[in-house]
Amino acid sequence: MVIAVFHKLTKMPVRRATHAGSWYSDSGAELKRQLEYWLNQADLTHGPARAIIAPHAGYQYCGACAGHAYRQISPVVVRRIFILGPSHHVRLSGCALSSAQKYKTPLYDLHIDISTNNELEMTGQFEWMDMDTDENEHSIEMHLPYIAKVMENFKDNFTIVPILVGSLSPDKEATYGKILASYLADPKIFSSYHQTFCHWGHRFRYTYYDRSYENIYESIESLDRIGMNFIENLNPSEFTNYLKKYGNTICGRHPIGILLQAVQEILKNDTSQRVILKFLNYAQSSQCRKLNDSSVSYASAALVID
C-alpha cells in the first residue's frame, strides 16, 4: 500500500478526533482532569523545552509518562508547534503533510499552519496525506490533547504543523533534519517527536534477552537505556549503529533521527549554542518475566537550546 497524494483542495477538511473514546477519553472535562493530574505529578526540571520526545500509546499506558515531557513547555513563548509521528498504516519513504485545515480534540480545535505547509512543500521533499491516512494514524493524534491542554491559555495564538514520518534511511533523516533545523532554532517554535520504545514479545517478533539480568523486564530497561544514552549524546550515527546492533523495536526511531540531525545542523551553523537533551521518565506497560509475556516501553525527554 502506498500513501495517497493530493493537494490544492478547494475546501480544506477537518480531521476528526478518531481515537477519542478508545485510546483516550472523549469527554473534554474528564480528559482535562486527567491531563492536569499528570502534568501536576511532573516537575519542571529541564525547560523551557525547544523540543520533546514523548510516547504515543493509549493514555492508560503512557499518559503519565508523556506528562513529564509536556511539563517542560513554556506556552507563553510558543507560537508554532511541529508534531512528528511515525506512520503505522501506510508505506512511506519520506514525510507527508496534513491536508486538513483543523484538527479536532475533545478540548478545542487546533489550526494547521497553512503557510508553513506551503514552505515545506516548496522543498520538494514532502507528500500529502489523504484524510483516511490522517484519521487512521494515531501517533500524531495522541499528542493533540496534551498540546491543547498546555496551550489552553493561548489557544488563539498558535498553529500546528503535523508531519507523518515514514521509514527513512539515515541520508533521508539528514535531509529532513536540515530542512527542519531552522524551525527548531527558533525559540517561538516548539517540536514534538513521538515514539514508543521497545516492543518486546513474540507478538512483536522481538525477544532479545540479556540473561545476565534475572528478569526479562530488567533486560528490556537496560536495552532501552542504552539507546536513550545515545540519543542524549545527540549523535545520529551512534543511535543508528545502536539500532543496527540490537534491532530494538523503537517505533518512532525515524522522528528521533530527524531531531538528532536537526540538532547537528544547528550546532554546525552556530558552535556557541548549548544543546542538552535529557530523558525525564521511563515506564513499561507491564513487567515481562516469562518468554510468552509482552510489553511496550515508554520514555519522555526534553531538549533545551540556550
Side-chain angles (χ1 to χ4, degrees), residues 22 24 32 52 60-61 64 85 89 104 131 133 142 172 211 251 276-277 295 304:
S22 53
Y24 60 95
K32 185 174 180 178
I52 62 168
Q60 63 177 318
Y61 300 109
H89 305 295
K104 285 192 167 296
M131 187 53 68
T133 296
M142 297 310 298
K172 278 277 195 177
R211 294 183 181 273
C251 177
I276 301 175
L277 190 151
S295 72
V304 173

Side-chain angles (χ1 to χ4, degrees), residues 43 58 125 129 140 203 236:
D43 293 325
Q125 296 294 330
M129 289 181 270
I140 293 173
R203 69 191 185 103

Side-chain angles (χ1 to χ4, degrees), residues 168-171 173 206 208 223 226-231 233-250 253-254 256-257 260-261:
L168 308 183
S169 67
D171 287 344
E173 290 177 356
Y206 186 75
Y208 173 87
L223 176 66
I226 292 171
M228 291 157 65
N229 287 337
F230 284 128
I231 295 168
N233 290 342
L234 300 173
N235 189 316
S237 61
E238 283 185 354
F239 183 54
T240 297
N241 291 336
Y242 159 81
L243 293 170
K244 289 179 179 177
K245 180 177 180 180
Y246 294 101
N248 194 358
T249 47
I250 299 174
R253 58 177 83 73
H254 299 299
I256 293 173
L260 298 182
Q261 292 287 357

